[in-house]
């Protein structure tokens, strides 16, 4: 726009000084002591594009104040700290057939200018020593505790099937395996675990020997060392600082690194500097199969746990949940040795500090009922109960996504944003909007996100001793009451049983429900005999005055096909009455067969549904179904009768006596 000469510049259109195509020529003069356009900013110092890019990235600063003595690395230079860090990782990756670990450098191999510090691990006492192979001549690049943004870049750049969705979450694929492979999980049986762990019928622990573990470990480590780069996460388990476990995860995929970044507890910069040697290490070589000719192998997949070496090896499956649940199994072994009870449960806390534990198998409503806007969420899945109270084991949530909607699960819906990993979901190719109803890849679609993505999460994730222990069952047989108050023996019995009922498919008409039992509501992950966990639970409940409850979120007025599902509004009223303490003061009566104490009234719930016999029009069918379910409970419990606690089997007899009688 032309100036009239009163501003900082002037424009003159001279007659006869023609411009292009006969147009008048425009001239701009810079007046003395005036500026027309000031674009005299100094040029960047970079001489090349690479240098310019290096200026773009600002060096990270610690996220916590560093005051006082800062631990083992306080007096080390940054260079020395990095060297010790790399030596520790090199030691973790040491092959059993070499004296030292691989040669490591930090950074992405794609950025050759960022390949600084080289480290050789100190000598290790591994034997035998073989002549060097080509792998000893190469460097392995370590991508150490990358941020979500860095991991996004790695995933999208190098991993097929990785995309950013419209909400900002990272959608990725877990390959051929879209769920856990419990039949391929092995635990080393040695002199220690021989007596400590639960083996045999009913146990999830399938044995392997030390030699076979080392064969698989070597296969995994050699695969990881053959890669140009590996991802290394150093993180914590357990929000209780006195009992937290340091874990190291070495993996080949950015997806796995981001998943564990979300699911474990993220260390501060200071904690990372002082991390040192991990207590437990995972070698995730999931893209590489195990050798099926190796002893104990039954497929190309093997998930191997060695509690003596504190190591876990994953071969032949890229499903990230194997890492999460593998570490949960480790906590089920380590924590009881410290007299701390590990629990597969949700946990929340009221504004007055009252804590409740929620146990329940898939489909029972555990996530829905433990995520309450009027209460603080301590955690959704894995917890410890120590002498000080409860603490979450994890730093994140792993939520099912199938049929997810903003209306039903607003907290989970809103947590699926930048930083969240979405596993095996289907999305629109153009808009990148996820279709949570689509089961094309799998029904087991999942979202993994940090727990702070939930608005009412309690950070740090710890709380006082629980007041209520709530066991959830979706009884599709329709004979369990909506709520029952349990004594300690009944709590142990139903905790060990871990009951729910799955609704069968309907190919030709409706088929009857199928009872499912999972010891301690997490049979696939427990390491000790279920009775040991149940006895610890009862002891802590008795010591701290907690009450046990059995809540049926399943059918009323008949079995599946004839009755109807319990209304969620009624279940919420029951849970509210438990939290408030009102249900403790109700009047109770005892049911037949299971001998459960049921309240005669609950505020906001029709009294007639509190006793299931009232809701069945066919009383004979009710009694037959009740006896059938009681028989299923008895048959399931037979596998636990061979275990004794102490010098006699009084406790076992007491627990069995709390079961159904007919």
């Amino acid at each position: 726009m032309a100036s009239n000469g009163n501003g900082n510049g002037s424009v003159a259109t001279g007659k006869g000084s023609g411009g292009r195509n006969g147009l008048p020529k425009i001239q701009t003069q810079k007046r003395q002591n005036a500026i027309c356009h000031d674009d005299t900013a100094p040029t960047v110092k970079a001489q090349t594009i690479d240098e310019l890019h290096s200026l773009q990235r600002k060096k990270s600063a610690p996220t916590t104040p560093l005051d006082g003595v800062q631990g083992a690395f306080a007096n080390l230079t940054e260079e020395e700290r990095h060297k010790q860090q790399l030596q520790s990782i090199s030691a973790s990756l040491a092959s059993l057939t070499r004296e030292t670990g691989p040669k490591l450098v930090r950074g992405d191999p794609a950025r050759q200018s960022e390949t600084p510090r080289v480290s050789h691990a100190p000598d290790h006492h591994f034997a035998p020593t073989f002549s060097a192979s080509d792998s000893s001549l190469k460097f392995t690049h370590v991508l150490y505790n990358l941020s979500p943004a860095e991991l996004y870049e790695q995933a999208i750049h190098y991993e097929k099937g990785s995309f950013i969705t419209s909400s900002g979450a990272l959608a990725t694929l877990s390959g051929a395996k879209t769920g856990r492979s419990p039949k391929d999980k092995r635990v080393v049986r040695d002199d220690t675990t021989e007596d400590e762990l639960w083996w045999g019928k009913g146990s999830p622990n399938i044995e392997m020997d030390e030699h076979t573990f080392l064969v698989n470990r070597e296969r995994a480590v050699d695969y990881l060392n053959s890669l140009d780069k590996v991802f290394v996460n150093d993180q914590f388990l357990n929000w209780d600082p006195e009992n937290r476990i340091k874990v190291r995860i070495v993996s080949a995929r950015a997806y796995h690194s981001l998943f564990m970044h979300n699911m474990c507890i993220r260390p501060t910069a200071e904690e990372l500097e002082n991390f040192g040697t991990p207590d437990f290490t995972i070698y995730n070589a999931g893209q590489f199969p195990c050798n099926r000719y190796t002893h104990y192998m039954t497929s190309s997949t093997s998930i191997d746990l060695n509690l003596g070496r504190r190591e876990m090896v994953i071969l032949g499956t890229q499903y990230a949940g194997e890492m999460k649940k593998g570490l949960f199994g480790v906590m089920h072994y380590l924590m009881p040795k410290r007299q701390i009870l590990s629990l597969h449960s949700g946990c929340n806390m009221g504004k007055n500090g009252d804590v409740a534990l929620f146990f329940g198998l898939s489909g029972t409503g555990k996530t829905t009922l433990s995520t309450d806007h009027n209460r603080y969420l301590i955690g959704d899945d894995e917890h410890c109960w120590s002498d000080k109270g409860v603490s979450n084991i994890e730093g994140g949530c792993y939520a099912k996504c199938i049929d997810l909607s903003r209306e039903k699960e607003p907290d989970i819906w809103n947590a699926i944003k930048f930083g969240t990993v979405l596993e095996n979901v289907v999305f629109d190719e153009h808009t990148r909007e996820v279709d949570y109803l689509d089961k094309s890849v799998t029904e087991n679609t999942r979202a993994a996100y940090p727990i702070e993505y939930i608005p009412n999460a309690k950070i740090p994730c710890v709380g006082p001793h629980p007041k209520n222990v709530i066991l959830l069952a979706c009884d599709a047989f329709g004979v369990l009451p909506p709520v029952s108050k349990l004594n300690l023996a009944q709590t142990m019995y139903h905790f060990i049983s871990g009951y729910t009922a799955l609704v069968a498919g309907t190919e030709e008409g409706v088929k009857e429900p199928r009872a499912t039992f999972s010891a301690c509501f997490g049979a696939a992950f427990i390491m000790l005999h279920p009775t040991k966990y149940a006895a610890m639970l009862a002891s802590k409940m008795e010591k701290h005055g907690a009450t046990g409850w059995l809540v049926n979120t399943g059918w009323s007025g008949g079995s599946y096909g004839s009755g109807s599902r319990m209304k969620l509004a009624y279940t919420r009223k029951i849970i509210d009455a438990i939290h408030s303490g009102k249900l403790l003061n109700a009047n109770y009566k005892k049911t037949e067969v299971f001998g459960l104490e049921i309240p005669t009234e609950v505020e906001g719930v029709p009294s007639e549904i509190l006793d299931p016999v009232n809701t069945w029009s066919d009383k004979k069918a009710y009694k037959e179904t009740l006896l059938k379910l009681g028989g299923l409970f008895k048959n399931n419990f037979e596998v636990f009768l061979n275990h004794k606690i102490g010098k006699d089997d009084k406790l076992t007899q007491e627990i069995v006596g709390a079961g159904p009688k007919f």
Side-chain angles (χ1 to χ4, degrees), residues 235-247 263-266 271 327 331 334-335 338 340-342 382-386 388-395 460-462:
Q235 295 181 260
F236 300 118
L237 296 179
N238 198 352
W239 283 83
D240 174 5
E242 291 182 19
N243 294 291
R244 72 183 181 188
I245 302 297
K246 297 187 293 182
V247 293
M263 295 311 304
C264 294
I265 298 165
R266 294 156 288 284
E271 289 170 334
L327 289 175
M331 295 297 278
L334 294 177
M335 291 297 104
R338 303 183 186 185
I340 296 170
L341 177 60
S342 49
E382 302 176 7
H383 293 86
C384 287
W385 188 352
S386 70
K388 296 187 298 181
V390 290
S391 57
N392 191 349
I393 288 174
E394 301 179 298
C461 303
V462 296

Side-chain angles (χ1 to χ4, degrees), residues 129-196:
T129 302
F130 295 108
S131 58
S133 67
D134 285 352
S135 62
S136 66
L137 303 177
K138 68 179 281 292
F139 292 104
T140 300
H141 291 73
V142 175
L143 301 179
Y144 183 73
N145 271 51
L146 296 191
S147 68
E150 292 172 305
L151 290 168
Y152 265 52
E153 291 170 5
Q154 290 287 328
I156 291 165
H157 214 70
Y158 302 109
E159 297 179 9
K160 284 188 175 181
S162 293
F163 299 90
I164 300 178
T165 64
S166 60
S167 69
L170 181 72
T172 188
L173 295 171
S174 65
K177 296 292 181 76
T178 58
R180 289 183 301 103
S181 304
K183 292 182 180 178
D184 295 310
K185 183 184 171 187
R186 303 283 182 273
V187 182
V188 172
R189 188 167 185 165
D190 54 25
D191 292 342
T192 303
T193 58
E194 170 78 37
D195 297 324
E196 290 183 337

Side-chain angles (χ1 to χ4, degrees), residues 38-236:
D38 185 11
D39 52 3
T40 57
T43 57
V44 294
K45 297 176 183 178
Q47 300 297 311
T48 66
I49 291 292
D50 284 344
E51 283 187 44
L52 179 62
H53 287 170
S54 70
L55 292 173
Q56 183 186 27
R57 292 184 294 275
K58 183 180 177 183
K59 190 178 174 81
S60 295
T63 54
T64 52
L66 304 179
D67 54 337
V69 180
Q70 297 166 22
F73 298 118
N75 298 319
L76 298 179
T77 65
E78 185 183 3
E79 189 76 20
E80 289 171 328
R81 275 201 302 271
H82 283 306
K83 184 178 179 181
Q84 289 201 11
Q85 205 174 61
L86 285 172
Q87 286 177 340
S88 173
I89 296 168
S90 181
S92 294
L93 280 166
S95 165
L96 300 175
T97 58
R98 291 191 297 271
E99 289 186 348
T100 61
K103 290 183 285 189
L104 303 178
V105 290
R106 281 183 66 132
D108 187 344
R111 297 171 181 165
Q112 295 300 324
S113 60
E114 297 177 25
T115 306
R117 302 165 275 269
V118 179
S119 173
H120 296 266
D123 287 350
H124 299 288
H125 304 289
F126 293 125
T129 302
F130 295 108
S131 58
S133 67
D134 285 352
S135 62
S136 66
L137 303 177
K138 68 179 281 292
F139 292 104
T140 300
H141 291 73
V142 175
L143 301 179
Y144 183 73
N145 271 51
L146 296 191
S147 68
E150 292 172 305
L151 290 168
Y152 265 52
E153 291 170 5
Q154 290 287 328
I156 291 165
H157 214 70
Y158 302 109
E159 297 179 9
K160 284 188 175 181
S162 293
F163 299 90
I164 300 178
T165 64
S166 60
S167 69
L170 181 72
T172 188
L173 295 171
S174 65
K177 296 292 181 76
T178 58
R180 289 183 301 103
S181 304
K183 292 182 180 178
D184 295 310
K185 183 184 171 187
R186 303 283 182 273
V187 182
V188 172
R189 188 167 185 165
D190 54 25
D191 292 342
T192 303
T193 58
E194 170 78 37
D195 297 324
E196 290 183 337
L197 266 56
W198 178 29
W199 303 102
K201 186 179 179 182
S203 166
N205 302 316
I206 307 171
E207 69 176 84
M208 73 186 309
D209 58 34
E210 174 93 10
H211 174 77
T212 305
F213 174 86
L214 295 178
V215 168
N216 281 356
R217 182 195 187 277
E218 192 80 343
R219 192 171 176 93
V221 167
D222 283 347
Y223 168 74
L224 292 166
N225 287 338
S226 74
L227 303 173
D228 286 337
K229 64 185 178 187
V230 294
F231 297 89
V232 176
N233 292 43
D234 280 349
Q235 295 181 260
F236 300 118

Side-chain angles (χ1 to χ4, degrees), residues 76 83 88 139 169 193 204 232 275 290 312 357 362 365 412 416 418 448 472 483 541 562 574 577 584 609 612:
L76 298 179
K83 184 178 179 181
S88 173
F139 292 104
T193 58
V232 176
F275 193 83
C290 68
M312 179 180 177
L357 295 173
S362 179
I412 296 175
I416 299 176
F418 181 82
L472 300 170
V483 60
M541 288 177 65
S562 59
I574 289 168
L584 279 175
I609 74 167

Side-chain angles (χ1 to χ4, degrees), residues 561-588:
S562 59
S564 57
R565 185 82 189 257
M566 200 80 64
K567 287 185 178 179
L568 179 59
Y570 294 158
T571 303
R572 287 196 185 280
K573 289 289 186 183
I574 289 168
I575 298 296
D576 288 344
I578 291 173
H579 290 323
S580 68
K582 289 181 180 178
L583 214 50
L584 279 175
N585 302 319
N587 294 318
Y588 285 86

Side-chain angles (χ1 to χ4, degrees), residues 295-468:
H295 194 35
Y296 295 102
M297 300 300 104
T298 53
S299 75
S300 60
T301 298
S302 192
I303 303 102
D304 308 326
L305 201 58
N306 189 325
L307 295 169
R309 290 181 61 92
R310 305 288 171 91
E311 292 179 339
M312 179 180 177
V313 169
I314 298 175
L315 291 163
T317 174
Q318 297 178 63
Y319 181 65
E322 295 288 7
M323 295 183 287
K324 165 187 161 68
K325 292 304 187 184
L327 289 175
F328 190 31
V330 172
M331 295 297 278
H332 268 311
Y333 172 74
L334 294 177
M335 291 297 104
K337 293 170 80 73
R338 303 183 186 185
Q339 300 307 306
I340 296 170
L341 177 60
S342 49
L343 301 163
H344 189 207
S345 71
C347 181
N348 66 23
M349 184 179 81
K351 293 178 172 61
N352 296 323
D354 58 298
V355 169
L357 295 173
F358 291 82
F359 295 89
L361 304 180
S362 179
T364 59
K366 182 178 75 167
T367 302
T368 302
L369 295 170
S370 61
T371 306
D372 186 331
H373 288 176
N374 297 314
R375 296 172 66 82
Y376 299 108
L377 179 69
I378 293 176
D380 75 329
D381 198 42
E382 302 176 7
H383 293 86
C384 287
W385 188 352
S386 70
D387 288 338
K388 296 187 298 181
V390 290
S391 57
N392 191 349
I393 288 174
E394 301 179 298
C397 302
Y398 194 32
K400 281 190 173 181
C401 289
I402 199 68
D403 299 331
L404 180 69
S405 69
R406 189 196 298 267
E407 295 71 33
K408 290 181 182 176
E409 300 285 359
D411 285 345
I412 296 175
W413 180 276
N414 293 327
I416 299 176
K417 56 186 179 180
F418 181 82
T420 297
V421 178
L422 276 175
E423 279 182 323
N424 302 316
V425 297
V426 176
F427 53 84
D428 183 274
E429 187 176 18
H430 174 60
T431 65
R432 294 291 196 266
E433 290 184 4
V434 178
D435 182 356
Y436 292 110
L437 301 176
D438 198 317
K439 306 172 185 177
S440 298
V441 180
T442 179
E443 191 168 321
N444 188 35
T445 53
R446 294 272 184 166
Y449 48 85
I451 193 166
E452 57 265 29
Y453 281 16
I454 299 294
N456 60 329
K458 184 184 179 300
I459 308 293
C461 303
V462 296
H465 296 288
K467 284 190 174 181
N468 294 292

